[in-house]
Amino acid sequence: HVQLVESGGGSVPAGGSLRLSCTSSRLSIDSYCMAWFRDVPGYEREGVASISSVGYDPIYSDSVKGRFKLSLDFRKKTTVLDLSNLQPGDSAVYFCAAAPRPHGAACELDQRWDWWGQGTQVTVS
């Protein structure tokens, strides 16, 4: 059973920064696609960023490109999402997701994602 655990959410003023982390004790992040999504009440879940450990640059949604950075910490088995220049529109519950890495292709936000964390709240005022 794959369990993803997010941490790092909180409340910040506009322009502030946060670091979200996603850890899995049973998942080798070097063999899987990892991603972050966010939920805002009344809107569809939005893919924020996805990453593969090899061969491809991270993919970002247009709404966060240039402000968010996704990376992998192999030693800690952690996926890290650095959020900067946060705006009130970034307020959401952020979820970590994972899926088997496709052969010869990047990890796309609109692909199937098999495992999800419980979410962590980010509030920007």
Side-chain angles (χ1 to χ4, degrees):
H1 175 67
V2 174
Q3 186 177 18
L4 303 176
V5 179
E6 301 102 333
S7 61
S11 297
V12 296
S17 300
L18 282 172
R19 168 169 285 189
L20 306 184
S21 297
C22 172
T23 302
S24 173
S25 60
R26 291 197 171 194
L27 203 63
S28 297
I29 60 175
D30 58 346
S31 301
Y32 285 81
C33 293
M34 304 298 298
W36 285 88
F37 291 75
R38 63 186 183 185
D39 277 357
V40 176
Y43 293 85
E44 287 189 8
R45 178 166 292 183
E46 178 188 13
V48 173
S50 60
I51 191 169
S52 171
S53 62
V54 293
Y56 301 94
D57 293 330
I59 294 172
Y60 299 94
S61 67
D62 288 342
S63 60
V64 307
K65 198 172 295 182
R67 299 187 298 121
F68 292 8
K69 180 182 178 182
L70 183 58
S71 59
L72 300 174
D73 185 331
F74 295 104
R75 185 177 64 85
K76 296 181 179 178
K77 299 181 180 180
T78 298
T79 305
V80 177
L81 183 66
D82 286 307
L83 295 69
S84 62
N85 191 20
L86 283 162
Q87 302 302 315
D90 295 315
S91 297
V93 178
Y94 284 72
F95 295 88
C96 177
R101 194 174 69 214
H103 292 293
C107 300
E108 302 286 351
L109 286 169
D110 60 357
Q111 69 176 55
R112 170 178 165 168
W113 294 92
D114 293 318
W115 300 284
W116 295 84
Q118 81 288 352
T120 185
Q121 178 71 48
V122 171
T123 302
V124 186
S125 58

